[in-house]
Amino acid sequence: MTEIKSLTMEELKAALKELGEKPFRAGQIFKWLHAGVRSFDEMSNLSKELRAKLAERFVLTVPEVARKQVSQVDGTVKYLWRMRDGDCVESVLMHYEHGNTACVSTQVGCRMGCKFCASGLNGLKRCLSPGEILDEVLFMQQDSGEKISNIVLMGTGEPLDNYDNVLKFLHLVSCAEGINIGQRHISLSTSGIADKIEELAEEKLQITLSVSLHAPDDETRSSIMPVNRAYPIERLVRACNYYFDTTGRRISYEYMMARDKTDRPWQAEKLAGLLRGRPAHVNLIPLNEVAESPLRPSTRETVRRFQAALEKRGVTATVRRKLGPDIDAACGQLRRREMQK
Ligand code: SAH
Ligand code: SF4
């Protein structure tokens, strides 16, 4: 059965036509869906017959809160959702000055195998549908009672390894008739699947592309991110430049600070060399320790010096504030703990 929330307005109109209904019903139904109704019976401006027809023909996904952790330090909320088939995914609600930001997962697990990441430790279970990704946003907003204004695709999963569903999600979530979060308020983070970055460029979206670079040399990068063997740094940077040239959107590079691995002075120099003269922004991320990985975080002082070295060479860099330090903050850790039970 078709998941109704994965349908665009156009697809919904076509489906209703097939059911012998007037197309304007699509607008009403779309609004209900994006308001987070839990059953077709809540759609009070539809006839009982139509509601029954919809329930017969479509699946309405409603994830349950399997676990929820609230940070006592900064109010960050981490959700573990249980979906229809019993699989679980995580999302995080963060409070920033510029608004509330939802960090959402795009897959159950991940097959990219980055050495520092808890999400990938058990590989990929399955991809999320467009509606399931949308559900994370809708139900986080509903459960928290807080308006979400920004989205980052930085939870579990590699968004470009679930390309079609993620693209459809981006259209659904930025649709004027729905929750209507502008594309400029959305960031997509990728480990660097260069072909897909180029394909995405052609869509000419207004989203921010965030690239998890984490090392400026192939030897180091390949040792922590297997994807680098398929798409080495030079190839990746070429795709990023193409993305900027095509969309006019500045790329954001994520760079994880791991002690004696990615934080050495020559690496700052090399990183600056890669990005020099290109509109780019570097986000220095303090490594979150994951028990299964030998990598350790850099010291504060090293991070500060690395940042200064980049700035000196004309590359803008900020250090990401760590939110929710008292909850299972690192990507994939909450789901992992639940799986181990
Ligand atoms: N798969 C995508 C998006 C999800 S991961 C990607 O890799 O970009 C979101 C971000 O968290 C990425 O930049 C990733 O490298 C980073 N990350 C994963 N594990 C981490 C850890 N233990 N410490 C710090 N950052 C981590
Ligand atoms: Fe997957 Fe991103 Fe984790 Fe790498 S960092 S394993 S791509 S979720």
Side-chain angles (χ1 to χ4, degrees), residues 103-104 106-107 110 112 114-119 153-160 188-192 210-214 225 254-257 285-290 293 320 330-333:
C103 173
V104 300
T106 53
Q107 296 180 312
C110 181
M112 306 309 288
C114 304
K115 294 289 190 296
F116 44 81
C117 177
S119 292
L153 278 68
M154 292 191 185
T156 295
E158 166 50 54
L160 300 185
L188 182 154
S189 177
T190 177
S191 57
S210 216
V211 175
S212 301
L213 192 59
H214 301 333
M225 301 181 72
E254 307 292 300
Y255 194 96
M256 192 182 59
M257 298 295 294
I285 316 172
L287 171 94
N288 256 315
E289 282 190 78
V290 172
S293 153
R320 182 178 297 160
C331 170
Q333 286 186 354

Side-chain angles (χ1 to χ4, degrees), residues 158-278:
E158 166 50 54
L160 300 185
D161 186 40
N162 183 15
Y163 187 88
D164 293 340
N165 289 351
V166 164
L167 195 64
K168 202 165 182 197
F169 159 75
L170 293 173
H171 285 297
L172 288 172
V173 82
S174 59
C175 177
E177 289 93 348
I179 181 167
N180 194 14
I181 296 178
Q183 290 184 0
R184 287 173 176 268
H185 298 273
I186 303 176
S187 295
L188 182 154
S189 177
T190 177
S191 57
I193 303 179
D195 297 348
K196 294 288 176 185
I197 290 175
E198 288 166 353
E199 205 177 322
L200 186 66
E202 303 298 341
E203 300 289 336
K204 300 212 169 55
L205 303 177
Q206 289 300 298
I207 61 168
T208 298
L209 183 68
S210 216
V211 175
S212 301
L213 192 59
H214 301 333
D217 56 290
D218 284 320
E219 195 192 334
T220 308
R221 194 165 191 268
S222 292
S223 74
I224 53 177
M225 301 181 72
V227 64
N228 197 66
R229 292 187 208 125
Y231 304 101
I233 292 171
E234 199 231 281
R235 171 76 187 92
L236 174 57
V237 170
R238 194 165 11 110
C240 292
N241 290 342
Y242 179 78
Y243 190 91
F244 173 78
D245 293 338
T246 311
T247 64
R249 301 287 295 162
R250 183 179 77 160
I251 310 275
S252 169
Y253 290 93
E254 307 292 300
Y255 194 96
M256 192 182 59
M257 298 295 294
R259 192 184 304 171
D260 301 328
K261 186 75 181 173
T262 69
D263 66 355
R264 294 165 282 191
W266 65 266
Q267 286 171 316
E269 208 170 298
K270 190 154 175 120
L271 176 59
L274 276 180
L275 306 181
R276 192 174 297 137
R278 276 282 170 177

